[in-house]
């Protein structure tokens, strides 16, 4: 199994990914190879599509992974199958998971105007305070006798 893992690392390193990304991707392939070795007792070249689907189910149940993370694992299995095992990949046999897409918060016109108004208020407040302290500094700098105690 180490030969497969080393081949995978060599092939994926050619993609120019960061070390952190490589480490994350290798995590799923290491889990897959361990699953094959300790649960199925099979060589990666002998695995059926059903066994690949069973691995994905096991991985999601065992590690409580989100659908996005499962998609990452499926992508890495695809890469492993195509570039290490040199076998074709069939997207219909192991489809990507569907997940909810969340849209960013877009404030209403009233909320946007209120927010901008609050910034203007803060700007006026801070500019007033800044001017006040500048005047105090100027006053004491030009009248140093005020601070002297008789």
């Amino acid at each position: 199994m180490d030969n497969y893992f080393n081949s995978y690392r060599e092939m994926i390193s050619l993609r120019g990914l960061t070390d952190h990304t490589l480490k994350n991707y290798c995590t799923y392939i290491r889990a897959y190879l361990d699953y094959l070795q300790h649960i199925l007792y099979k060589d990666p070249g002998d695995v059926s599509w059903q066994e690949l689907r069973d691995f994905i189910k096991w991985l999601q149940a065992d590690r409580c992974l989100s659908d996005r993370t499962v998609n990452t694992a499926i992508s890495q299995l695809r890469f492993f199958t195509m570039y290490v095992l040199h076998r074709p990949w069939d997207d219909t046999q192991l489809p990507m998971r569907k997940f909810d897409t969340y849209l960013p918060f877009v404030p209403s016109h009233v909320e946007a105007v209120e927010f901008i108004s609050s910034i203007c208020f803060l700007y006026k407040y801070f500019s007033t305070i800044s001017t006040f302290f500048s005047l105090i500094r100027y006053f004491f700098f030009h009248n140093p006798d005020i601070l002297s105690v008789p």
Side-chain angles (χ1 to χ4, degrees):
M1 291 296 173
D2 285 340
N3 290 339
Y4 288 110
F5 186 72
N6 292 337
S7 294
Y8 174 79
R9 281 192 61 89
E10 180 182 341
M11 292 302 291
I12 201 152
S13 67
L14 296 174
R15 292 183 62 194
L17 303 171
T18 65
D19 290 337
H20 180 72
T21 303
L22 288 173
K23 181 181 173 188
N24 284 340
Y25 287 176
C26 288
T27 299
Y28 302 119
I29 296 303
R30 174 56 68 196
Y32 175 63
L33 294 174
D34 288 344
Y35 177 83
L36 293 180
Q37 186 175 12
H38 300 294
I39 295 177
L40 292 184
Y41 306 108
K42 281 193 156 189
D43 189 75
D46 300 330
V47 175
S48 69
W49 288 109
Q50 182 58 50
E51 290 165 333
L52 275 171
R53 288 189 292 272
D54 290 342
F55 168 72
I56 291 297
K57 290 176 193 172
W58 173 83
L59 187 66
Q60 188 169 28
D62 185 58
R63 298 193 182 180
C64 300
L65 301 177
S66 70
D67 288 331
R68 289 176 193 256
T69 306
V70 169
N71 282 348
T72 301
I74 292 171
S75 293
Q76 294 319 304
L77 285 173
R78 178 181 181 275
F79 186 89
F80 180 81
T81 302
M82 292 174 67
Y83 293 96
V84 176
L85 299 178
H86 306 290
R87 291 179 34 199
W89 182 263
D90 186 356
D91 289 330
T92 63
Q93 292 294 326
L94 192 56
M96 297 293 237
R97 298 295 176 94
K98 209 172 186 183
F99 52 85
D100 293 332
T101 303
Y102 300 104
L103 296 175
F105 172 72
V106 179
S108 67
H109 178 71
V110 172
E111 291 170 328
V113 168
E114 184 179 320
F115 176 72
I116 292 169
S117 297
S118 70
I119 291 174
C120 291
F121 170 76
L122 288 174
Y123 175 74
K124 290 176 187 174
Y125 176 76
F126 285 121
S127 62
T128 303
I129 298 257
S130 176
T131 304
F132 174 73
F133 282 113
S134 294
L135 287 172
I136 289 175
R137 188 175 15 173
Y138 177 81
F139 179 74
F140 284 114
F141 181 74
H142 289 287
N143 299 307
D145 296 339
I146 290 179
L147 293 176
S148 62
V149 180

